[in-house]
Amino acid sequence: MNAALHLAATFVLCVAVAGPLARARWVWRAPRTGILLWQMLGLSWALSAVGLLLALGLAPHDAPIPVALGRWADDAVRGDVTPLALLVVLGLLSALDLVIGLLWTWGSVLRVRRRHRDVLALVARRDEAAPGAFVLDHPNVVAYCVPGARSAVVLSSGALTALTRDQVDAVLGHEHAHGRERHDLVLLPFSALCSVLPKVRLARSVARAVALLVEMRADESASLRHGAQPLASALRRFGSARPPEGALGAADVAVAARLVRLAGLPPLPAALRCSALVGGLVLVGIPLSFLVR
Amino acid sequence: MDVLWDRGEPVAVRDVVRALADRDLAYTTVMTVLNRLAKKGFVRREAGEGRAWYYAPVASREQYVARLMLDALSLTGDRETALAHFAQSMTAPEAEALSQALDER
């Protein structure tokens, strides 16, 4: 029962921390720490959710989870099934659901990307105004990255005319950072979480918070090379392509937050960064210590 | 592909080779590329006079660019996860108009 209590407490803690962390502004000052923290929190949440179901279902065996799981399987094969066994099945199924959700999202993302790359190879051109990028002839102002083993950065001709040389370099730096640091892999589990739990608002706000941190990390990387100023003005330029009236969407809020960061938020002190990471490690360690023994 | 788009009518392999004469490509190379494009669904292959196959683009260059734009600007589902954009620069009605324009053709 000890294991179940610990796992339940970890699960509740993860859910309780997620809301405030999604709203927290201090992580903006250390985007990479923030991303790591979210990854550890997500892992701990999934492990403790699955672990809790297993621990409850295996309670009669009165043994560590891996040992008890073996005994439970032996019993199940012999046809000796208790009502509590349902919880074990539920735990294993939810683990399977998370893994399948991840693979499904990954697969459909890869399909969209492959098709996108094929079309890109046909219609995009190279331009010396945008070194290392594909240029699309379209008046809209667009810049994006098609991540992958060989990532492709794409810029519209509209963006080339709207931005100065410095701004183009900064935007390309931002997109190359996405590709180089494989930010798509960071976002993947959180998108998968949204598809597994479509009705849960917390899942969506967590995914949005992580997406914002990823953008901020790319901003950070680009502004180290090209300066914060061209990036901020390019961001403002992109923003002004939309009509000013109407409600602020999530994208506008994110842009406003990134502008605040670029305007000069001081980086988080190393001691605080370290203690945040240690906290995350402890959080992952608790469920892990019950599941692997 | 540019040759096919410029012609605006089904083209035989030898015509493509002739149009690309300055690139000095072998007939079989061009045929392989065209067949690969056909397999990916970018060009349509149809029987012409004699034994030659004629090739035509399935969609115009503008349609493909518009399709990419829609992918890049779409706010929904897998497309959003598949690409990482610098900032959203199109409003929802604009994106809708673009996707309608694609559907009408």
Side-chain angles (χ1 to χ4, degrees):
Chain A
M1 221 50 223
N2 181 30
L5 272 180
H6 276 84
L7 289 165
T10 314
F11 181 79
V12 170
L13 189 64
C14 285
V15 174
V17 167
L21 189 59
R23 286 188 298 272
R25 293 177 59 133
W26 59 268
V27 280
W28 297 0
R29 294 165 56 192
R32 250 189 306 187
T33 308
I35 291 168
L36 273 173
L37 205 54
W38 273 119
Q39 288 174 323
M40 294 191 284
L41 195 68
L43 186 61
S44 177
W45 173 84
L47 288 178
S48 59
V50 172
L52 177 59
L53 290 170
L54 293 182
L56 287 176
L58 297 171
H61 290 281
D62 197 27
I65 290 177
V67 179
L69 201 59
R71 286 184 202 157
W72 174 83
D74 286 345
D75 287 356
V77 169
R78 268 189 266 110
D80 184 8
V81 181
T82 56
L84 272 178
L86 215 59
L87 280 175
V88 181
V89 174
L90 201 64
L92 294 176
L93 280 181
S94 53
L96 197 67
D97 189 30
L98 290 174
V99 171
I100 288 177
L102 197 64
L103 291 179
W104 177 263
T105 312
W106 186 224
S108 59
V109 160
L110 284 185
R111 224 174 313 120
V112 171
R113 263 186 220 151
R114 192 179 322 119
R115 181 74 191 165
H116 199 100
R117 264 171 214 283
D118 284 348
V119 180
L120 205 57
L122 286 182
V123 298
R125 60 183 171 86
R126 297 287 184 169
D127 194 314
E128 57 187 30
F134 291 97
V135 174
L136 275 183
D137 286 311
H138 197 278
N140 265 327
V141 183
V142 182
Y144 62 92
C145 168
V146 191
R150 284 214 336 255
S151 66
V153 172
V154 185
L155 208 64
S156 67
S157 55
L160 276 180
T161 46
L163 302 176
T164 67
R165 187 65 201 245
D166 285 354
Q167 290 170 339
V168 168
D169 287 343
V171 170
L172 291 181
H174 174 103
E175 297 304 340
H176 281 302
H178 278 319
R180 202 176 45 240
E181 299 181 6
R182 291 309 302 265
H183 287 161
D184 57 314
L185 297 181
V186 173
L187 295 176
L188 185 71
F190 295 97
S191 317
L193 187 66
C194 285
S195 70
V196 172
L197 305 169
K199 293 260 162 70
V200 180
R201 265 180 44 208
L202 184 63
R204 249 176 303 144
S205 64
V206 166
R208 219 178 296 129
V210 176
L212 177 59
L213 284 176
V214 160
E215 292 305 326
M216 287 180 164
R217 168 59 200 148
D219 283 350
E220 186 179 59
S221 168
S223 58
L224 280 179
R225 284 164 198 231
H226 307 283
Q229 208 276 323
L231 195 66
S233 55
L235 203 49
R236 249 181 250 115
R237 187 74 197 75
F238 267 73
S240 66
R242 61 171 68 239
E245 72 267 24
L248 275 183
D252 303 273
V253 176
V255 166
R258 284 163 64 191
L259 284 173
V260 167
R261 207 193 72 84
L262 285 172
L265 280 182
L268 207 63
L272 284 179
R273 282 208 306 271
C274 285
S275 46
L277 289 180
V278 169
L281 278 177
V282 170
L283 210 54
V284 178
I286 298 171
L288 220 48
S289 69
F290 288 104
L291 287 170
V292 185
R293 188 159 50 183
Chain B
M1 206 64 207
D2 283 329
V3 174
L4 298 190
W5 275 321
D6 289 345
R7 290 296 174 96
E9 56 176 4
V11 188
V13 177
R14 68 186 133 77
D15 293 329
V16 178
V17 176
R18 213 171 294 151
L20 296 171
D22 53 328
R23 301 255 299 267
D24 202 19
L25 296 167
Y27 182 88
T28 47
T29 312
V30 174
M31 195 169 68
T32 309
V33 170
L34 282 171
N35 281 335
R36 205 174 292 154
L37 287 170
K39 205 177 281 171
K40 285 186 174 180
F42 291 117
V43 299
R44 205 172 51 237
R45 200 168 76 149
E46 42 195 71
E49 321 152 12
R51 300 194 314 133
W53 286 105
Y54 280 70
Y55 295 85
V58 167
S60 71
R61 171 193 284 272
E62 289 72 28
Q63 279 172 304
Y64 281 124
V65 172
R67 167 67 57 198
L68 287 183
M69 278 301 174
L70 201 63
D71 271 1
L73 296 163
S74 186
L75 290 163
T76 51
D78 299 331
R79 289 168 175 178
E80 186 186 16
T81 318
L83 312 168
H85 11 57
F86 180 65
Q88 293 294 346
S89 66
M90 208 200 287
T91 55
E94 278 179 302
E96 214 164 271
L98 187 53
S99 85
Q100 266 175 9
L102 275 174
D103 289 343
E104 275 165 17
R105 301 206 195 178

